[in-house]
Amino acid sequence: MNIEQAIFGSIRTAGGSGYRLLARSAGILEADAQELSVWGPSHDALGDSGDGAVSVNLFPLPSGAACLSRTLAAGAECSGRGGQHVYTQCFVLERAALARFAHNPFAVLKALTAQGSVNVCETPAETLPRIPLVGRAAVLDVEAVTQVQRLLGAESLAALVQGVLADGPVGVVLRHDPRPILAALLNCLPAECRGEFSFTTGLRCSPQRPFRWCALSAASNDGRRLERVYGLRLVDVEADNSPLTHPWARLLCHVLQSGRLAELRQHFTVAHPGLTAADLSELGGDLLALFERTPAARPRSAPPVAPLAHVVEPQPQAVRPGELRLVNRDGDRTHDARRRADGVHVKFAHTQAAQQALQAAAARVRLSDLATDPADVLGAVRPEAQARLELLDDTVFEAIAGKAEALDRLQSLWPQVLRELGPELVEESQLQYLRHALHVWRNYTDGEGDAAQASRALEVLCLLMDDRVDQARRA
Amino acid sequence: MPRSSTVQLDSYRLAQYTASIGCYICGEGNTYDTELCRTCSAPMALAHQANAQKVRPQMIAAIGPSGVGKTVYLGMLLDMLSRRPTQMQMLARGAFSITLQQAVVGALSKCEFPHKTPSEPDRWNWVHCQIRRAQDKQPVELVMPDLAGESLLYEVDHPHSYPVIHSLLKRASGVLVLIDAAELNSGSRDQDFFTMKLLSYLSELDCDELEPWRQRPVALVFTKSDECEESFVDCAGYAQAHASGLWQHCLERFERHRYFASGVAGGCAYREIPGYGRVRVPLRIEPRGIVEPFAWLVEQLQAATKKQAKVKVRR
């Protein structure tokens, strides 16, 4: 999948000077380009004036796509009048692209960063190339939420979710790095309604950019003015102890305190076509009752590969003959079993074994027990595929950990598995490997990791992203 | 013994919300406690002051491409006028009207140019002032914003993107068009093209039939003229030689226009700042030709006001 990109900034060119859309790829519609110019941040727009200031932003475009942008201070302002040059790289994400990443723009940005597409170009060509976007994201990143839970506490995180679910623009007052917190907030919502929330993690408020969520630093003491001038409703959970009244916030508090995020993730994998933030009150109430009725699931060994985010476009609700439906205990909400994260892969959906596995899974799964391992379903359909993926997992993680023979083995195994299983089955695993390798590399650059291990991680990264392997895959 | 006090009734406070106050720039309604207009982001203080004084201030716009020197020109003009009590004197109305002067003078006194004006309208500086001239009985009330050049050009290319610019230019009584003389001197025609675009936009605005832009005064000011002395000697001749398109355009479209040359910094240099690169700095401050274009514009406005008053009396 390819996505469009654009650059907004102030570089003196033959076409003029001052802040404007400097370059864009050919597929960006004129109406979208105009919107990018209107929302584009100009001089002194970053709330933090430090050299390392970065803001991640998301806003809707007239075409129905969304713009994920990254704004940073990139050196001196070109006119030589002092101050920093505010540089913004924009990625135009169609609905399908966002759906692959469970409507989580932070996951998209991570994937784009991993493949080296996020950068600063000092002299961009007028027409930029389209960017390939590979990978998927889990519908709920348990680790990301858990980290923020450790930072803020379960009740504060739930209160933050309650605050940001209110109507109108919200100023989220934070005392920590806003990016992981906003990412956790999005992760705490079902994927279907994440698209309703535009946000910025570090741009100043402006009527030109009516973000739904604006992260504000608690140190700025500017909140009251922003409230008065821009009509922001301030949410400061550390200063305000209002009770949790929203059912979704109460559900989250319960889930976080009882450590049942993995179970919530399973609920998120069930598609809710047409679900909006306004419906979360009802859904939160239902799920809270369900969680309170059922005991916490037995802790399971975490699978190496996270469940795929099967977020699909809304489809007609009519039941077709022979269609499998999951019905909850109250019988008021139906779900298409084939949309489940642990549902059989579409490629094998027509086989007899798949039908049997699906029926067996549907028979034993209820809304109260959705913790079926995706590996179970794949194992029932193609046990040899499961075995190959497990072997690949072991080899990759051993190679990154430092076993020289594992790296040698991986060089032949990786293209072989790609050929045998096809890119669709391997893609999620590939993303997880890339994440792990990138994590190792980042640890090293942060001064915490081992140089030899970081070097091996890079070798694995190169192998997994090698063009020749891509060619083998196509062949 | 308890002291007596006056407490505003909540019902009275709420009643104030029912009456909307029109923005002075775009005319759209806002609640009484709004700080910036919800439609165009202009300060509502302008409307409150106009209502309180029962005088409708006239508007003058300083326009030109990004980096031409609008902020420095306006800031220096305000500083000079506020310190000239004899011929023409400026009195700021409202604390917000002094911010621009403060920012420019503060930067120049540190041998720096003021930072770039952001393109977001809510962050522009506005000036509401009273101009007193020795020869006039009544002072002139003026509103002048410091616009961002890129926003102006974007509005010209995509009309109605910036409602505040559209409304301001539609209602402005006169305009100061700033042109970078140093760039023109270097042979670049960008300034010529940008200025022609701005003037074309002005002449195509759907204005009051009684006072189309053709009849409004336009002061064309060459900035950074200290870098090309030629423009000081013969402004119109310089325009004809270096910005022929603009010269012809003004001749055809604007009945009342005049060329001026100005300069603030007597000389400039570049300073290397670690981590930032080269920053342009003024070596000394030698304002030249700053007041003249503005004085001409005010004179033209006063003449037009007197003419309109005579027409009213005759009717």
Side-chain angles (χ1 to χ4, degrees):
Chain A
M1 178 177 284
N2 289 322
I3 59 168
E4 308 292 339
Q5 63 165 329
I7 294 172
F8 187 89
S10 169
I11 294 173
R12 191 178 285 271
T13 63
S17 60
Y19 282 89
R20 64 203 187 281
L21 211 56
L22 295 167
R24 65 194 222 203
S25 53
I28 294 184
L29 302 174
E30 196 49 45
D32 285 354
Q34 284 191 30
E35 200 71 358
L36 292 176
S37 299
V38 171
W39 285 71
S42 74
H43 191 72
D44 203 23
L46 278 164
D48 177 5
S49 55
D51 283 343
V54 176
S55 175
V56 178
N57 325 297
L58 184 90
F59 54 90
L61 294 173
S63 66
C67 173
L68 166 65
S69 65
R70 180 173 169 269
T71 303
L72 71 160
E77 209 280 313
C78 75
S79 64
R81 280 183 281 172
Q84 293 169 321
H85 172 211
V86 177
Y87 179 95
T88 303
Q89 189 176 12
C90 307
F91 304 100
V92 177
L93 303 171
E94 300 291 339
R95 278 170 190 273
L98 263 175
R100 275 178 60 167
F101 285 82
H103 292 271
N104 184 347
F106 290 95
V108 178
L109 194 63
K110 207 184 243 182
L112 288 167
T113 309
Q115 68 188 39
S117 302
V118 179
N119 45 37
V120 175
C121 186
E122 285 182 7
T123 49
E126 209 163 289
T127 307
L128 299 171
R130 300 180 82 204
I131 299 177
L133 178 64
V134 293
R136 289 172 187 275
V139 72
L140 195 163
D141 187 344
V142 174
E143 184 55 33
V145 178
T146 311
Q147 277 179 7
V148 174
Q149 184 190 347
R150 276 191 217 116
L151 194 71
L152 301 178
E155 276 194 31
S156 291
L157 180 53
L160 208 51
V161 171
Q162 174 173 278
V164 299
L165 281 177
D167 288 337
V170 174
V172 187
V173 182
L174 297 170
R175 287 158 186 80
H176 310 278
D177 181 2
R179 277 171 288 172
I181 297 177
L182 259 59
L185 287 180
L186 281 177
N187 269 298
C188 287
L189 303 176
E192 290 84 350
C193 56
R194 289 176 190 169
E196 290 176 42
F197 301 99
S198 58
F199 64 82
T200 175
T201 64
L203 292 182
R204 286 184 199 274
C205 294
S206 168
Q208 293 278 105
R209 300 183 289 269
F211 288 111
R212 185 84 182 267
W213 298 347
C214 291
L216 307 173
S217 166
S220 71
N221 284 328
D222 206 20
R224 294 293 157 209
R225 191 186 70 85
L226 297 174
E227 207 171 18
R228 197 181 65 249
V229 178
Y230 301 109
L232 287 186
R233 203 175 48 74
L234 296 185
V235 175
D236 186 353
V237 288
E238 291 185 43
D240 178 23
N241 291 322
S242 21
L244 295 178
T245 51
H246 197 291
W248 190 260
R250 283 169 41 215
L251 164 75
L252 275 174
C253 190
H254 178 84
V255 166
L256 292 168
Q257 282 175 339
S258 55
R260 295 169 77 178
L261 269 175
E263 285 173 64
L264 185 66
R265 181 176 65 185
Q266 294 299 338
H267 285 286
F268 279 7
T269 57
V270 178
H272 301 99
L275 184 79
T276 64
D279 302 327
L280 287 183
S281 190
E282 189 192 342
L283 183 61
D286 290 351
L287 286 176
L288 181 61
L290 205 62
F291 269 88
E292 283 174 345
R293 272 205 305 271
T294 55
R298 181 171 54 85
R300 305 168 66 88
S301 57
V305 179
L308 293 178
H310 276 215
V311 180
V312 292
E313 292 301 312
Q315 285 180 358
Q317 293 281 314
V319 179
R320 293 182 291 275
E323 189 177 52
L324 286 169
R325 288 270 170 176
L326 296 178
V327 182
N328 71 3
R329 285 178 179 168
D330 302 321
D332 60 348
R333 199 177 283 275
T334 57
H335 302 280
D336 184 347
R338 284 179 300 182
R339 289 181 194 153
R340 290 172 45 83
D342 54 350
V344 66
H345 195 282
V346 285
K347 191 174 174 182
F348 311 111
H350 62 281
T351 63
Q352 197 180 353
Q355 291 300 332
Q356 286 167 359
L358 201 58
Q359 283 168 12
R364 68 171 183 269
V365 173
R366 289 179 186 281
L367 270 178
S368 57
D369 179 21
L370 288 171
T372 311
D373 198 322
D376 291 348
V377 180
L378 184 63
V381 180
R382 273 184 67 177
E384 77 284 359
Q386 190 192 16
R388 295 297 277 165
L389 283 175
E390 280 174 3
L391 177 65
L392 186 66
D393 282 348
D394 294 343
T395 316
V396 169
F397 288 107
E398 280 174 8
I400 294 174
K403 280 192 180 175
E405 63 273 22
L407 187 59
D408 293 340
R409 211 165 53 237
L410 184 62
Q411 284 180 344
S412 56
L413 182 67
W414 170 243
Q416 203 181 336
V417 173
L418 261 181
R419 263 196 310 274
E420 285 171 15
L421 303 185
E424 287 168 341
L425 269 183
V426 179
E427 199 171 23
E428 175 65 21
S429 302
Q430 184 186 15
L431 187 68
Q432 296 300 327
Y433 304 151
L434 290 176
R435 276 193 191 134
H436 180 61
L438 203 65
H439 175 71
V440 170
W441 174 253
R442 277 198 186 132
N443 271 354
Y444 168 63
T445 54
D446 292 345
E448 292 169 9
D450 170 26
Q453 198 189 4
S455 154
R456 284 189 295 274
L458 268 189
E459 281 184 55
V460 173
L461 260 177
C462 294
L463 178 68
L464 298 179
M465 299 296 286
D466 195 343
D467 283 343
R468 283 169 301 176
V469 176
D470 262 1
Q471 284 165 12
R473 188 171 64 176
R474 282 190 216 107
Chain B
M1 190 177 167
R3 285 183 185 175
S4 63
S5 61
T6 308
V7 178
Q8 200 176 41
L9 285 172
D10 268 359
S11 54
Y12 177 72
R13 195 170 54 81
L14 290 171
Q16 288 181 302
Y17 277 100
T18 59
S20 91
I21 296 176
C23 167
Y24 192 71
I25 306 299
C26 70
E28 292 294 325
N30 288 269
T31 53
Y32 81 101
D33 58 352
T34 310
E35 201 162 310
L36 299 176
C37 171
R38 303 258 179 220
T39 310
C40 72
S41 304
M44 285 302 292
L46 297 173
H48 292 303
Q49 284 170 353
N51 290 343
Q53 287 150 18
K54 298 192 170 79
V55 179
R56 305 289 291 171
Q58 301 196 63
M59 288 188 275
I60 288 182
I63 60 175
S66 174
V68 75
K70 295 179 289 297
T71 306
V72 172
Y73 176 83
L74 285 176
M76 185 50 71
L77 174 72
L78 297 172
D79 193 53
M80 291 175 77
L81 290 181
S82 62
R83 291 189 284 128
R84 273 175 41 150
T86 50
Q87 292 180 333
M88 185 184 266
Q89 190 191 18
M90 188 214 82
L91 289 172
R93 283 203 182 274
F96 68 92
S97 301
I98 301 170
T99 311
L100 175 63
Q101 181 186 351
Q102 185 186 13
V104 172
V105 173
L108 291 178
S109 65
K110 286 189 281 182
C111 263
E112 289 171 3
F113 284 113
H115 280 200
K116 193 171 173 55
T117 305
S119 56
E120 293 87 347
D122 55 305
R123 302 188 59 210
W124 294 343
N125 284 315
W126 289 74
V127 178
H128 181 193
C129 59
Q130 192 181 55
I131 304 292
R132 288 181 184 277
R133 297 197 309 164
Q135 62 267 44
D136 293 331
K137 286 180 189 168
Q138 292 293 323
V140 186
E141 294 281 335
L142 278 182
V143 167
M144 291 187 290
D146 177 27
L147 310 171
E150 49 264 64
S151 308
L152 271 164
L153 286 177
Y154 195 78
E155 168 63 23
V156 168
D157 285 337
H158 307 281
H160 304 285
S161 303
Y162 285 87
V164 64
I165 295 178
H166 185 86
S167 306
L168 173 80
L169 294 182
K170 201 171 156 180
R171 294 185 51 198
S173 307
V175 69
L176 287 154
V177 183
L178 274 63
I179 310 140
D180 190 330
E183 258 204 43
L184 276 182
N185 214 35
S186 70
S188 162
R189 290 201 60 199
D190 287 347
Q191 292 287 315
D192 193 13
F193 295 136
F194 289 151
T195 315
M196 276 200 287
K197 271 187 178 183
L198 287 170
L199 292 175
S200 294
Y201 176 82
L202 279 186
S203 51
E204 300 301 324
L205 276 172
D206 49 339
C207 295
D208 185 359
E209 279 181 13
L210 292 174
E211 203 194 353
W213 259 106
R214 162 176 279 278
Q215 291 168 10
R216 297 188 211 178
V218 176
L220 298 131
V221 187
F222 290 115
T223 57
K224 305 176 192 174
S225 293
D226 40 82
E227 293 181 38
C228 68
E229 197 62 29
E230 190 190 341
S231 59
F232 272 117
V233 178
D234 177 11
C235 305
Y238 185 81
Q240 195 173 2
H242 291 87
S244 49
L246 167 70
W247 190 81
Q248 192 63 35
H249 196 96
C250 288
L251 215 57
E252 297 286 333
R253 297 277 180 94
F254 298 98
E255 289 171 7
R256 289 196 287 163
H257 71 274
R258 186 177 285 187
Y259 291 94
F260 298 89
S262 71
V264 171
C268 287
Y270 284 93
R271 190 166 67 190
E272 193 73 30
I273 297 181
Y276 277 93
R278 293 199 320 164
V279 175
R280 198 163 183 262
V281 294
L283 289 178
R284 55 187 184 275
I285 306 302
E286 285 180 3
R288 286 169 75 188
I290 300 291
V291 178
E292 287 80 355
F294 182 74
W296 176 80
L297 213 53
V298 172
E299 195 181 307
Q300 295 293 315
L301 296 185
Q302 286 290 69
T305 311
K306 282 176 189 165
K307 199 174 162 186
Q308 279 172 4
K310 277 182 190 171
V311 171
K312 269 187 189 172
V313 170
R314 275 183 205 155
R315 278 180 186 169

